[in-house]
Amino acid sequence: MEDYLGLVYLFGLLWSVSLLFFTERYWTNRRSLFVIGMIPLGIILAFRYSGTDTYQYETLLWYSYLSGQPTGMEPGFDLLARWLTNLWGSPLAALRAIGVIFVGALTVFLWRSDPKERFFLLAFFIPVFFFQYGMNAIRAGLAVASLLLAWQSLRRNHWASAIAFGFLGPFFHLTILVPVTVLLFVESLRIGRRGWIIWVTIGLINAVLLLWHWDYVQAKLDFYFGNKLSTIHTVYSPQVPGMSRTAMALVLLIGLTTLPLSWGLKIFSWLTLGIPTLFFQILAYYSAWVGIRFVELMVVTLPLFTLRLLDLEHMSPFRTKSFFLALSIAAIIGSAFNYKNFVQDYNGRLTGSLTPFLPYRTVLHHQPCPPSYYFPWALPWKCPLLDLDNLGGVSQPIPR
């Protein structure tokens, strides 16, 4: 199957919104519908051969499988990916299994959700970020899924599971430390004068994790700020990389400002969320990928921050409609720009990817490089990125 127009992405968006509508309006046994409703989205991830970094991840896992060496990624992802590759004997199957795990984590979130959380996930997160985190930035996707489960536990005062999920996230992608830190700003308000305990704890955890992965952090900094990115700004926009995400953040901040909160809390929110977003947007001009990644994380964090703030203020639902309207507008902006980016990179003409989002392809169109049990007769020397004399290296940039 090849979808040249990207209708599968439109289907995913409409399916998610429809699932929200029917569960809230007509279906009493919501939990069973959540499990059934997430299956089509899981199928899209499980059978896809699309996603900008898909080929690079497959190549990386194939090298690791042949050489027995670590992937060089975060330890949580490395352990999971290598275990799945050894289990299936195929990087292709391992990568799809990771997508299924991502969908499973979101299904758990839905299973435990209240109406606010369902609206966030089905009307905002899935339409804007599901395909990005499920098909391309899969390490960040697992980290964000851990963040969502940690935040959900925090709202229910389940501190043990909140700490466990929150601690798990950085082992899939270190950048998740930024939204974790931002969300704990709200908890410092709850604790009051003893909030310094949180900040000391955050500082120590961040320092330990960064020192633990220091070689990896240095390698990523060299990658993001080195000469390799001299021409990559054109992937998202030739003038303003990441500006669509910043526009979403601005809409959400305006929605937050319309809420009946004290001006002190509104200013606190703008300083906590707006200044980092602006900084990361400026960073995107110097290193498009890392800047955009952080801006995206701030956009994901903004609704979580706001909803937690509403919890602490005990605000009734009918007084929060303006923010959910802003959430809907931001979702429309994000979805529209996602499709624009997919079209701009049609057949990989901007990124050079062998597995771009458009056209959407299934595993039936696997090339097959690297070889896998799907195509055991594939000849390794026909795969352009496999260097059989040096199984420890990859001739393209590592996945972001």
Side-chain angles (χ1 to χ4, degrees), residues 174-192:
L174 279 174
T175 56
I176 206 67
L177 289 173
V178 172
V180 167
T181 302
V182 170
L183 288 176
L184 286 177
F185 266 98
V186 184
E187 301 309 313
S188 68
L189 292 178
R190 180 184 182 185
I191 294 177

Side-chain angles (χ1 to χ4, degrees), residues 183-292:
L183 288 176
L184 286 177
F185 266 98
V186 184
E187 301 309 313
S188 68
L189 292 178
R190 180 184 182 185
I191 294 177
R193 293 181 179 179
R194 292 180 296 170
W196 65 270
I197 299 175
I198 283 184
W199 298 117
V200 171
T201 304
I202 291 173
L204 290 175
I205 291 175
N206 288 350
V208 169
L209 289 173
L210 289 175
L211 289 174
W212 189 3
H213 303 295
W214 186 244
D215 291 340
Y216 175 73
V217 171
Q218 283 186 312
K220 296 295 281 186
L221 290 174
D222 291 340
F223 172 72
Y224 283 128
F225 294 101
N227 294 328
K228 293 180 180 179
L229 292 184
S230 58
T231 60
I232 211 163
H233 293 272
T234 58
V235 172
Y236 280 81
S237 170
Q239 292 86 25
V240 280
M243 187 57 77
S244 64
R245 298 310 194 221
T246 301
M248 292 173 62
L250 180 60
V251 170
L252 293 174
L253 282 169
I254 292 174
L256 188 154
T257 306
T258 62
L259 294 172
L261 299 170
S262 68
W263 278 105
L265 283 178
K266 292 178 182 179
I267 294 172
F268 170 78
S269 301
W270 273 84
L271 292 175
T272 304
L273 300 166
I275 290 180
T277 303
L278 179 61
F279 170 77
F280 294 137
Q281 176 59 67
I282 295 172
L283 182 63
Y285 283 93
Y286 298 95
S287 177
W289 287 122
V290 68
I292 292 171

Side-chain angles (χ1 to χ4, degrees), residues 141-167:
L142 293 174
V144 169
S146 298
L147 175 72
L148 295 182
L149 293 172
W151 171 79
Q152 191 178 52
S153 296
L154 197 62
R155 293 190 70 212
R156 289 153 177 76
N157 292 320
H158 298 163
W159 282 90
S161 58
I163 292 172
F165 283 123
F167 189 72

Side-chain angles (χ1 to χ4, degrees), residues 9 11-12 29 32 45 57 79 91 98 121 130 166 191 232 264 286 331 334 350 374 395:
Y9 304 120
F11 166 79
N29 189 9
S32 61
L45 297 193
Y57 272 114
L79 181 64
I98 290 172
L121 191 78
F130 177 78
I191 294 177
I232 211 163
Y286 298 95
L350 286 180
Y374 281 91
S395 57

Side-chain angles (χ1 to χ4, degrees), residues 38 42 98-111 130 145 149:
M38 292 297 287
I98 290 172
V100 172
I101 291 172
F102 174 68
V103 174
L106 297 186
T107 304
V108 171
F109 182 91
L110 269 180
W111 184 272
F130 177 78
L149 293 172

Side-chain angles (χ1 to χ4, degrees), residues 11 49-50 62 98 224 305 324 344 384 387:
F11 166 79
Y49 188 55
S50 292
W62 185 248
I98 290 172
Y224 283 128
F305 182 99
F324 287 99
Q344 283 185 331
D387 180 3

Side-chain angles (χ1 to χ4, degrees), residues 119 123-124 248 251-256 258-259 307 317 319-333:
F119 190 93
F124 177 75
M248 292 173 62
V251 170
L252 293 174
L253 282 169
I254 292 174
L256 188 154
T258 62
L259 294 172
L307 292 177
R319 303 180 70 188
T320 63
K321 291 182 178 179
S322 59
F323 179 75
F324 287 99
L325 175 61
L327 203 61
S328 302
I329 295 172
I332 293 171
I333 294 172

Side-chain angles (χ1 to χ4, degrees), residues 31-100:
R31 287 185 169 180
S32 61
L33 187 62
F34 292 152
V35 176
I36 297 171
M38 292 297 287
I39 290 176
L41 297 176
I43 290 174
I44 293 174
L45 297 193
F47 290 95
R48 49 95 181 181
Y49 188 55
S50 292
T52 307
D53 285 347
T54 294
Y55 182 88
Q56 294 177 10
Y57 272 114
E58 288 184 3
T59 304
L60 190 68
L61 293 183
W62 185 248
Y63 274 123
S64 178
Y65 180 64
L66 291 181
S67 65
Q69 298 298 315
T71 61
M73 301 289 103
E74 288 86 351
F77 178 82
D78 178 75
L79 181 64
L80 177 64
R82 293 175 65 199
W83 177 74
L84 290 171
T85 305
N86 289 321
L87 177 67
W88 294 98
S90 166
L92 190 150
L95 209 57
R96 275 71 190 171
I98 290 172
V100 172

